[in-house]
Amino acid sequence: MKTLFGLAAIAVFAFARPAPAKPAADLLLLNGRVYTFAWDEPGNDGTPAKNAPRTKEGFRPDAEAVAIRGGRIVFVGTARDAEAHRGAATRVLDLHGATVLPGLVDSHTHIAELGEAASRVDLVDVQTEEEAVARVAARARSVPKGQWIVGGGWDEGAWANHYPDLRLLSEKVPDHPVYLASLHGFAGWGNRLALERASITAETKAPEGGEIRKDANGKPTGILLNRAVPLLSSALPEPTEEQFKSYVLAGLRIMAKDGYVAVHEAGAGARHMRAFEALEAEGKLPVRVYAMLSAREGDLCRKVAGPRPRPDERPHAGDPGGEGVLRRGARFKGRAAA
């Protein structure tokens, strides 16, 4: 009996001990409207799954708290249960009812173009020539002399009866060639140095369907319309490798800031892949990238995909789906895109 009592006491003691404490989270998100999207897929007709958190009023959140540790989500549920993940060093963020969604994935991006657009002088909704020139002049103060300044967004339709010219733009920005695309792409505006770089003079003929606006003396005013626009825009130099990489990084950072965790880059060429791989090697790639390779670059596709199995062969172990995987980094998977 004494032995049995002793065993029983040990068992009671063992079950009475508190459960081991959970490792503390680095970050707790509390009091949010969290949609986990953990429910089943909707039907083919769009009918929500039976286990979807939805009432006749619409979808509702299915959690209110998130715990994150080591860059990974370790808990999603109620605020009360989330307290088990709170530690002395845990950062706690009260969301005050803000909405929380899983990371987004964009299925078709042009990242370099996005980053390049962000680097341009934004003239959307600018009402006057003076305001547009002031923005360009402000940018010029941070750009080395001789480098192009590119902007866009001025409304050629709204300004059709009072187009600007190169005089004020050349006066305020004399040391940088400037090209300013219009909002709808039917006009281009440049300063004197830009026209010189493009070799546009009083003798330059406009192509059919285009116009080089000229003053009373026959000299170009700095405005080109319709099919004449490429006479100026084609003078813009191709970005260097470093500039291109900076555009890619800027575009990816915009996506990350807006809540995206992965992008599918459409028509990626060799230059894109060099930028992606360099950023990955430097530890600067902020989101995952699925690269749809440009079929126009056959050498790139062959280099990335490697040898294809013959019809009578099974796909090789490293390429079970018949798609090429880049040798460096599991973050990249490529397929050809026209």
Side-chain angles (χ1 to χ4, degrees):
M1 291 294 294
K2 290 182 180 180
T3 301
L4 290 175
F5 176 78
L7 291 174
I10 291 172
V12 170
F13 176 75
F15 283 106
R17 285 184 301 173
K22 291 182 172 64
D26 301 322
L27 174 65
L28 276 184
L29 306 178
L30 303 178
N31 302 319
R33 295 172 51 82
V34 182
Y35 295 83
T36 67
F37 286 87
W39 52 91
D40 294 336
E41 292 290 322
N44 291 335
D45 61 353
T47 301
K50 291 182 179 180
N51 63 340
R54 187 174 184 272
T55 65
K56 60 182 180 180
E57 284 79 26
F59 281 90
R60 57 175 174 76
D62 55 334
E64 59 183 359
V66 178
I68 300 168
R69 184 176 66 251
R72 292 182 174 274
I73 294 174
V74 295
F75 170 82
V76 179
T78 66
R80 179 177 179 179
D81 291 343
E83 290 298 328
H85 297 270
R86 186 196 289 259
T90 300
R91 179 189 174 203
V92 180
L93 183 61
D94 189 334
L95 298 179
H96 298 289
T99 298
V100 179
L101 301 173
L104 304 173
V105 177
D106 194 312
S107 63
H108 187 119
T109 60
H110 297 285
I111 289 299
E113 289 85 342
L114 175 63
E116 184 179 9
S119 73
R120 296 178 175 180
V121 181
D122 184 8
L123 302 180
V124 175
D125 294 329
V126 166
Q127 300 298 314
T128 66
E129 176 183 2
E130 291 74 17
E131 183 182 355
V133 171
R135 291 191 183 187
V136 177
R139 175 65 60 85
R141 289 193 283 271
S142 62
V143 176
K145 290 183 178 181
Q147 287 191 13
W148 281 82
I149 296 175
V150 180
W154 61 279
D155 193 334
E156 71 270 45
W159 292 17
N161 294 325
H162 51 88
Y163 280 130
D165 59 37
L166 57 72
R167 290 174 298 176
L168 183 62
L169 188 57
S170 301
E171 175 189 340
K172 298 297 183 181
V173 191
D175 301 318
H176 302 77
V178 178
Y179 173 69
L180 305 174
S182 66
L183 181 63
H184 305 289
F186 297 116
W189 175 18
N191 66 351
R192 185 171 289 107
L193 190 52
L195 266 62
E196 290 177 4
R197 293 279 182 95
S199 299
I200 297 174
T201 68
E203 288 71 38
T204 303
K205 302 294 184 182
E208 184 177 355
E211 178 186 357
I212 302 173
R213 291 181 67 86
K214 297 180 180 180
D215 61 20
N217 297 316
K219 295 182 179 180
T221 67
I223 293 292
L224 293 87
L225 302 176
N226 301 314
R227 292 190 176 181
V229 172
L231 295 176
L232 181 55
S233 62
S234 62
L236 294 171
E238 285 291 316
T240 65
E241 286 289 307
E242 279 302 309
Q243 285 174 329
F244 189 82
K245 188 174 78 169
S246 73
Y247 295 154
V248 170
L249 180 57
L252 292 174
R253 282 176 171 169
I254 291 171
M255 300 301 290
K257 180 177 179 293
D258 289 343
Y260 289 85
V261 297
V263 297
H264 293 202
E265 177 69 4
R271 209 173 198 195
H272 294 85
M273 301 312 296
R274 288 195 297 271
F276 290 141
E277 290 190 320
L279 291 171
E280 171 71 357
E282 296 166 8
K284 295 180 180 178
L285 201 66
V287 301
R288 291 179 177 86
V289 177
Y290 180 99
M292 297 183 282
L293 302 181
S294 172
R296 296 181 179 90
E297 298 196 26
D299 290 343
L300 172 66
C301 295
R302 286 185 287 272
K303 174 184 175 182
V304 172
R308 291 299 200 200
R310 296 194 306 270
D312 60 339
E313 291 180 331
R314 294 172 61 86
H316 57 81
D319 191 15
E323 292 185 344
V325 181
L326 281 181
R327 290 185 293 275
R328 288 195 294 272
R331 290 172 180 246
F332 294 107
K333 189 172 184 180
R335 68 179 176 84

